[in-house]
Amino acid sequence: MLKQQFIIFIGFFLLISCQKKIDKTAHLKIFRYNEHANISSLDPIFARTQSNIWAVNQLFNGLVQLDDSLNILPDIAKKWTISDDGKTYVFTLRNDVFFHKNQCFRTENNTRKVTAYDFLYSFNRLKDDKLASSGRWILQNVKHFSARNDSIFLFELKENSPAFLGLLTTKYASVVAREAVDFYGNDFRRNPVGTGAFRFQFWEENTKLVLQKNPLYYEKDDKNEPLPYLDGISITFLSEKQSEFLQFVQGNLDFINAVNASYKDEILTTQGTLQPKYKDKIQMIKSPYINTEYLGIVMDKTDDIATNKQLREAIHLGFDREKMMKYLRNNIGKPALGGFIPKGLNGFTDTITKYQPEKSRKIVLDFTKKKQRKPMVTISTDANYVDVCEYIQRELQSIGFLCNIDIVPSATLRQSRATSKLQTFRASWIADYPDAENYLSLFYSENFAPNGANYTHFKNETFDQWYKQAISENSLEKRVLLYQKMDSLVMQHLPVIPLYYDENIRFVQKNIQGLTPNPINLLHLKKVIKE
């Protein structure tokens, strides 16, 4: 009897102890989201994908930053000047920015102040050929950069470039500490040391990533209160979007981004509004999104599609984009009836594409008669876009193509696309900075993947000439005309088949405030409040 009472007492004691531990953390305001595409690196020089960019954005800062209206604002640089010829940029740094506390710093408090020499190291690291950063291209017009002293950093450009400040808002341009990179070596990718509103705490790859509030963070709100408001961020890695949605509905996630075919009809009406049963439970936030979804075709392959422009035209005209948006996307987004530059950016061209199945059918029939076989196209995609690709497959088969869908893991798709190993692939391009040059850089020959974002290996001398002219043109009006000419040339050769211009849609729990949308769908959490 005494033994049984002792066991009950011990059990009660353990229960109380556990409860105390739970209560100790229950008050913490942790923002929880899922990253179904996984995260490959927390090193900013590899912040190529949205999943990497979102996490890196919480951990690192650069000289300048974008607000939700895509205005360029100070960040670690408190001010800057630009020379009259537009080729010299001089940045003056804040003196109150510290790196996250970490054992890599051999100082009494395990941190130190950021200086201009840290940016010198960071940009030299970004352009290091041995590291093969996907962001090296942002420095392609830079002739020289240097630190004059601890607080002054400057760039000298080869040519005037009105878009250069925008390039510096990308996460590639984040500052890192030499001590951290030297200390962790190749493992810096999973042991990031930055300056951001949140600092690294724990990462079990494919399972969970935890970031905690940075008590040394320098930014304050309009009332001079320190940021961030949250105590931390918890990121899970459920690969199935349906599982992610169920976790959100159960209240285990604070928000989900975009809408997936597996639950779109559950949460949205056919008109793209929130289903009535969810109106009192969650918030839906819609906003413009500078993102083009497209099919990319690797142009230096020897297959039917790469070598025959007419077949690419048959694909381009051979499926009904408006029908696709209505039945597969619940009208979230706009059919890509213009060029590759999306709606919302200077250079966008309105309707130039019409659904012409008969013309497409004739092109395919002529090819079939001449070659004595049907043309073949294989579209590579990940599981999240199977419905869109299968729709295109059915449409192309109806006009005479042999069309296969190759479903591969997201990470494999990204790697294969970056090394141009695919024939035809589904992809999206989200603007890194608010200028159409961002989209046209995908077709500049000096940006050939894997050293840049020209995944299709498109090469055209006229395009390259216009591109060089545009990036140094001060007049916005003249620059936009060049953008339109380049976009039109791309659509003549069709290394890409635009599918739709996306919309930014977020589903958020009612107790979350301050999660504001922006046209590049960057995740800003430093001003988010969890009630």
Side-chain angles (χ1 to χ4, degrees):
M1 182 70 177
L2 287 174
K3 183 178 180 180
Q4 185 178 9
Q5 289 177 334
F6 178 74
I7 291 172
I8 292 171
F9 172 78
I10 291 297
F12 180 74
F13 175 78
L14 290 174
L15 179 64
I16 293 298
S17 298
C18 291
Q19 188 62 49
K20 285 182 177 179
K21 289 181 180 179
I22 292 171
D23 290 342
K24 190 176 180 180
T25 60
H27 70 284
L28 294 178
K29 296 174 181 178
I30 308 298
F31 187 87
R32 305 156 302 168
Y33 77 91
N34 182 67
E35 186 48 76
H36 72 275
N38 219 322
I39 293 172
S40 61
S41 175
L42 295 173
D43 187 336
I45 69 170
F46 300 113
R48 182 180 78 247
T49 62
Q50 186 183 74
S51 55
N52 287 13
I53 291 169
W54 276 12
V56 165
N57 189 48
Q58 318 311 321
L59 294 162
F60 292 90
N61 299 86
L63 292 165
V64 289
Q65 61 182 320
L66 291 174
D67 67 9
D68 289 332
S69 299
L70 303 187
N71 298 308
I72 298 173
L73 303 179
D75 197 353
I76 295 178
K78 61 182 179 182
K79 62 181 181 179
W80 59 86
T81 60
I82 305 172
S83 63
D84 291 340
D85 64 3
K87 293 183 180 181
T88 303
Y89 288 67
V90 180
F91 294 87
T92 303
L93 274 57
R94 302 172 62 122
N95 64 0
D96 59 349
V97 182
F98 289 82
F99 286 108
H100 298 154
K101 286 190 174 184
N102 191 275
Q103 59 182 328
C104 70
F105 297 110
R106 308 296 185 182
T107 59
E108 184 178 350
N109 55 0
N110 288 335
T111 185
R112 68 166 176 81
K113 193 178 293 185
V114 175
T115 73
Y117 295 100
D118 293 308
F119 279 98
L120 180 64
Y121 170 74
S122 300
F123 285 116
N124 275 319
R125 181 172 180 264
L126 175 63
K127 71 173 189 175
D128 188 342
D129 290 337
K130 294 178 182 177
L131 296 176
S133 166
S134 51
R136 286 177 294 176
W137 61 274
I138 72 169
L139 299 175
Q140 65 187 8
N141 188 38
V142 175
K143 179 180 179 182
H144 176 71
F145 51 82
S146 61
R148 285 183 180 169
N149 52 44
D150 282 356
S151 59
I152 303 294
F153 189 80
L154 66 87
F155 287 97
E156 293 180 17
L157 306 186
K158 300 172 187 175
E159 302 290 343
N160 170 40
S161 176
F164 182 65
L165 267 181
L167 291 174
L168 294 181
T169 66
T170 65
K171 302 320 295 180
Y172 295 128
S174 301
V175 68
V176 300
R178 181 191 293 271
E179 297 96 320
V181 177
D182 289 346
F183 184 84
Y184 289 107
N186 293 333
D187 214 26
F188 181 71
R189 60 172 284 278
R190 57 167 293 109
N191 290 278
V193 181
T195 57
F198 298 90
R199 61 182 182 176
F200 176 77
Q201 183 176 17
F202 168 78
W203 185 18
E204 184 178 345
E205 294 192 46
N206 304 313
T207 304
K208 195 168 191 177
L209 170 62
V210 178
L211 311 178
Q212 62 180 164
K213 179 177 183 175
N214 173 19
L216 301 177
Y217 194 58
Y218 53 92
E219 284 193 282
K220 293 180 171 57
D221 65 14
D222 295 337
K223 297 180 180 178
N224 207 36
E225 294 293 325
L227 298 173
Y229 305 126
L230 294 167
D231 294 305
I233 302 168
S234 176
I235 307 168
T236 52
F237 299 97
L238 298 171
S239 60
E240 296 294 328
K241 294 289 286 184
Q242 179 67 31
S243 300
E244 177 185 80
F245 176 68
L246 290 174
Q247 287 294 305
F248 174 70
V249 170
Q250 293 168 10
N252 298 323
L253 296 175
D254 291 311
F255 106 115
I256 51 176
N257 180 65
V259 64
N260 185 263
S262 63
Y263 59 79
K264 67 178 178 64
D265 294 324
E266 165 67 17
I267 198 167
L268 293 177
T269 65
T270 54
Q271 289 75 37
T273 59
L274 200 61
Q275 290 281 11
K277 66 179 179 180
Y278 288 111
K279 286 186 176 180
D280 295 331
K281 299 178 181 179
I282 62 177
Q283 312 169 60
M284 183 176 76
I285 304 172
K286 288 176 67 175
S287 67
Y289 187 14
I290 305 176
N291 171 38
T292 299
E293 298 284 338
Y294 67 98
L295 298 181
I297 298 155
V298 182
M299 299 292 283
D300 52 11
K301 300 289 186 184
T302 58
D303 60 85
D304 293 340
I305 310 304
T307 57
N308 191 311
K309 188 176 83 170
Q310 283 191 310
L311 288 179
R312 297 196 296 275
E313 184 182 15
I315 296 173
H316 182 52
L317 304 177
F319 64 97
D320 189 339
R321 290 167 173 81
E322 293 182 343
K323 181 180 176 183
M324 178 180 73
M325 297 307 294
K326 180 178 181 180
Y327 293 107
L328 297 183
R329 297 278 303 168
N330 291 55
N331 286 319
I332 301 298
K334 303 296 182 184
L337 304 179
F340 190 69
I341 299 173
K343 193 170 185 177
L345 282 182
N346 287 326
F348 169 74
T349 303
D350 213 345
T351 308
I352 58 174
T353 302
K354 293 183 179 179
Y355 175 45
Q356 300 179 56
E358 293 306 319
K359 182 176 181 179
S360 295
R361 191 172 287 110
K362 184 179 186 308
I363 292 172
V364 174
L365 182 60
D366 289 345
F367 177 92
T368 303
K369 287 179 178 178
K370 182 177 179 180
K371 299 288 187 178
Q372 293 299 299
R373 61 179 177 82
K374 291 185 175 183
M376 166 69 75
V377 57
T378 298
I379 302 173
S380 298
T381 185
D382 61 17
N384 296 303
Y385 291 87
V386 171
D387 59 335
V388 171
C389 291
E390 286 182 343
Y391 170 79
I392 295 171
Q393 179 188 41
R394 291 191 296 271
E395 294 279 276
L396 296 186
Q397 286 174 341
S398 72
I399 58 175
F401 277 96
L402 293 174
C403 185
N404 296 319
I405 305 296
D406 181 26
I407 305 170
V408 296
S410 298
T412 304
L413 182 67
R414 289 194 300 270
Q415 180 61 29
S416 298
R417 184 177 68 230
T419 52
S420 301
K421 291 181 178 179
L422 304 172
Q423 181 209 60
T424 301
F425 56 86
R426 190 227 58 87
S428 59
W429 189 256
I430 305 166
D432 294 313
Y433 55 96
D435 194 288
E437 186 252 336
N438 190 193
Y439 282 82
L440 298 168
S441 67
L442 269 70
F443 310 105
Y444 183 46
S445 63
E446 292 188 21
N447 288 340
F448 265 31
N451 297 320
N454 187 342
Y455 303 126
T456 63
H457 284 194
F458 176 75
K459 186 174 184 179
N460 183 282
E461 290 183 6
T462 302
F463 181 93
D464 286 352
Q465 180 183 346
W466 287 342
Y467 181 82
K468 290 176 184 178
Q469 185 179 345
I471 62 175
S472 61
E473 177 57 63
N474 277 325
S475 166
L476 177 61
E477 184 179 355
K478 291 180 180 179
R479 197 160 72 248
V480 168
L481 288 174
L482 284 167
Y483 289 163
Q484 290 174 335
K485 287 168 66 175
M486 284 186 280
D487 199 25
S488 177
L489 190 148
V490 167
M491 297 309 295
Q492 289 173 33
H493 291 272
L494 292 170
V496 292
I497 310 292
L499 304 177
Y500 58 92
Y501 311 122
D502 209 356
E503 274 187 305
N504 187 3
I505 182 167
R506 293 175 172 181
F507 302 102
V508 187
Q509 300 291 356
K510 286 284 190 178
N511 65 328
I512 300 296
Q513 303 298 323
L515 188 63
T516 52
N518 54 83
I520 59 173
N521 199 23
L522 191 60
L523 186 63
H524 292 301
L525 295 178
K526 59 190 174 186
K527 293 185 178 180
V528 166
I529 297 171
K530 185 171 183 177
E531 296 176 348

